[in-house]
PDB file of all heavy atoms in Angstrom:
ATOM      1  N   GLU J  26     -32.539 -10.602 -50.207  1.00 92.00           N
ATOM      2  CA  GLU J  26     -33.444 -11.506 -49.580  1.00 92.00           C
ATOM      3  C   GLU J  26     -33.678 -12.695 -50.426  1.00 92.00           C
ATOM      4  O   GLU J  26     -33.938 -13.866 -49.949  1.00 92.00           O
ATOM      5  CB  GLU J  26     -34.795 -10.741 -49.196  1.00 92.00           C
ATOM      6  CG  GLU J  26     -34.593  -9.953 -47.871  1.00 92.00           C
ATOM      7  CD  GLU J  26     -35.916  -9.281 -47.594  1.00 92.00           C
ATOM      8  OE1 GLU J  26     -36.524  -8.590 -48.504  1.00 92.00           O
ATOM      9  OE2 GLU J  26     -36.515  -9.444 -46.526  1.00 92.00           O
ATOM     10  N   GLU J  49     -46.494 -22.619 -58.794  1.00 95.00           N
ATOM     11  CA  GLU J  49     -47.344 -23.127 -59.821  1.00 95.00           C
ATOM     12  C   GLU J  49     -48.558 -22.051 -59.835  1.00 95.00           C
ATOM     13  O   GLU J  49     -49.143 -21.915 -60.936  1.00 95.00           O
ATOM     14  CB  GLU J  49     -47.937 -24.568 -59.424  1.00 95.00           C
ATOM     15  CG  GLU J  49     -46.918 -25.618 -59.523  1.00 95.00           C
ATOM     16  CD  GLU J  49     -46.429 -25.945 -61.041  1.00 95.00           C
ATOM     17  OE1 GLU J  49     -47.224 -25.716 -61.854  1.00 95.00           O
ATOM     18  OE2 GLU J  49     -45.339 -26.468 -61.145  1.00 95.00           O
ATOM     19  N   LEU J  54     -51.200 -17.016 -62.698  1.00 94.00           N
ATOM     20  CA  LEU J  54     -51.359 -15.623 -63.068  1.00 94.00           C
ATOM     21  C   LEU J  54     -50.737 -15.173 -64.350  1.00 94.00           C
ATOM     22  O   LEU J  54     -51.264 -14.274 -65.096  1.00 94.00           O
ATOM     23  CB  LEU J  54     -50.741 -14.800 -61.886  1.00 94.00           C
ATOM     24  CG  LEU J  54     -51.475 -14.916 -60.576  1.00 94.00           C
ATOM     25  CD1 LEU J  54     -50.581 -14.296 -59.411  1.00 94.00           C
ATOM     26  CD2 LEU J  54     -52.798 -14.302 -60.534  1.00 94.00           C
ATOM     27  N   HIS J  67     -41.729 -15.190 -83.372  1.00 97.00           N
ATOM     28  CA  HIS J  67     -41.537 -16.576 -83.800  1.00 97.00           C
ATOM     29  C   HIS J  67     -40.318 -16.691 -84.668  1.00 97.00           C
ATOM     30  O   HIS J  67     -39.504 -17.586 -84.482  1.00 97.00           O
ATOM     31  CB  HIS J  67     -42.896 -17.016 -84.603  1.00 97.00           C
ATOM     32  CG  HIS J  67     -42.738 -18.393 -84.971  1.00 97.00           C
ATOM     33  ND1 HIS J  67     -42.502 -18.846 -86.224  1.00 97.00           N
ATOM     34  CD2 HIS J  67     -42.828 -19.598 -84.228  1.00 97.00           C
ATOM     35  CE1 HIS J  67     -42.497 -20.110 -86.317  1.00 97.00           C
ATOM     36  NE2 HIS J  67     -42.656 -20.619 -85.123  1.00 97.00           N
TER      37      HIS J  67
ATOM     38  N   GLU W  45     -41.137 -26.238 -81.773  1.00 96.00           N
ATOM     39  CA  GLU W  45     -42.194 -25.463 -82.316  1.00 96.00           C
ATOM     40  C   GLU W  45     -43.510 -25.613 -81.588  1.00 96.00           C
ATOM     41  O   GLU W  45     -44.186 -24.600 -81.318  1.00 96.00           O
ATOM     42  CB  GLU W  45     -42.423 -26.021 -83.795  1.00 96.00           C
ATOM     43  CG  GLU W  45     -43.422 -25.239 -84.569  1.00 96.00           C
ATOM     44  CD  GLU W  45     -42.942 -23.928 -85.085  1.00 96.00           C
ATOM     45  OE1 GLU W  45     -41.836 -23.879 -85.682  1.00 96.00           O
ATOM     46  OE2 GLU W  45     -43.860 -23.023 -84.889  1.00 96.00           O
ATOM     47  N   SER W  93     -44.256 -28.084 -62.911  1.00 93.00           N
ATOM     48  CA  SER W  93     -44.798 -28.191 -64.254  1.00 93.00           C
ATOM     49  C   SER W  93     -43.789 -27.459 -65.175  1.00 93.00           C
ATOM     50  O   SER W  93     -43.087 -26.453 -64.672  1.00 93.00           O
ATOM     51  CB  SER W  93     -46.196 -27.637 -64.480  1.00 93.00           C
ATOM     52  OG  SER W  93     -46.096 -26.203 -64.368  1.00 93.00           O
ATOM     53  N   ARG W 111     -36.895  -3.397 -62.437  1.00 88.00           N
ATOM     54  CA  ARG W 111     -36.180  -2.913 -61.146  1.00 88.00           C
ATOM     55  C   ARG W 111     -34.914  -2.272 -61.583  1.00 88.00           C
ATOM     56  O   ARG W 111     -34.603  -1.177 -60.957  1.00 88.00           O
ATOM     57  CB  ARG W 111     -35.932  -3.898 -60.182  1.00 88.00           C
ATOM     58  CG  ARG W 111     -37.302  -4.323 -59.540  1.00 88.00           C
ATOM     59  CD  ARG W 111     -37.104  -5.311 -58.383  1.00 88.00           C
ATOM     60  NE  ARG W 111     -38.519  -5.909 -58.151  1.00 88.00           N
ATOM     61  CZ  ARG W 111     -38.700  -7.122 -57.563  1.00 88.00           C
ATOM     62  NH1 ARG W 111     -37.599  -7.918 -57.294  1.00 88.00           N
ATOM     63  NH2 ARG W 111     -39.870  -7.542 -57.368  1.00 88.00           N
ATOM     64  N   TYR W 166     -47.998  -8.424 -61.013  1.00 95.00           N
ATOM     65  CA  TYR W 166     -48.149  -7.648 -62.269  1.00 95.00           C
ATOM     66  C   TYR W 166     -47.415  -6.349 -62.308  1.00 95.00           C
ATOM     67  O   TYR W 166     -46.976  -5.882 -63.326  1.00 95.00           O
ATOM     68  CB  TYR W 166     -49.647  -7.559 -62.661  1.00 95.00           C
ATOM     69  CG  TYR W 166     -50.314  -8.772 -62.849  1.00 95.00           C
ATOM     70  CD1 TYR W 166     -51.482  -9.207 -62.262  1.00 95.00           C
ATOM     71  CD2 TYR W 166     -49.943  -9.678 -63.910  1.00 95.00           C
ATOM     72  CE1 TYR W 166     -52.227 -10.335 -62.525  1.00 95.00           C
ATOM     73  CE2 TYR W 166     -50.638 -10.888 -64.189  1.00 95.00           C
ATOM     74  CZ  TYR W 166     -51.764 -11.104 -63.510  1.00 95.00           C
ATOM     75  OH  TYR W 166     -52.485 -12.364 -63.753  1.00 95.00           O
ATOM     76  N   TYR W 171     -42.103  -6.709 -51.954  1.00 96.00           N
ATOM     77  CA  TYR W 171     -43.127  -6.704 -50.858  1.00 96.00           C
ATOM     78  C   TYR W 171     -42.872  -5.369 -50.019  1.00 96.00           C
ATOM     79  O   TYR W 171     -43.757  -4.972 -49.422  1.00 96.00           O
ATOM     80  CB  TYR W 171     -43.085  -7.968 -50.095  1.00 96.00           C
ATOM     81  CG  TYR W 171     -42.056  -8.110 -49.030  1.00 96.00           C
ATOM     82  CD1 TYR W 171     -42.256  -7.760 -47.742  1.00 96.00           C
ATOM     83  CD2 TYR W 171     -40.771  -8.607 -49.405  1.00 96.00           C
ATOM     84  CE1 TYR W 171     -41.227  -7.928 -46.847  1.00 96.00           C
ATOM     85  CE2 TYR W 171     -39.795  -8.774 -48.540  1.00 96.00           C
ATOM     86  CZ  TYR W 171     -39.946  -8.373 -47.218  1.00 96.00           C
ATOM     87  OH  TYR W 171     -38.964  -8.613 -46.298  1.00 96.00           O
TER      88      TYR W 171
END
Side-chain angles (χ1 to χ4, degrees):
Chain J
E26 276 178 308
E49 293 289 334
L54 291 171
H67 181 257
Chain W
E45 180 76 48
S93 73
R111 289 190 196 149
Y166 293 127
Y171 79 94

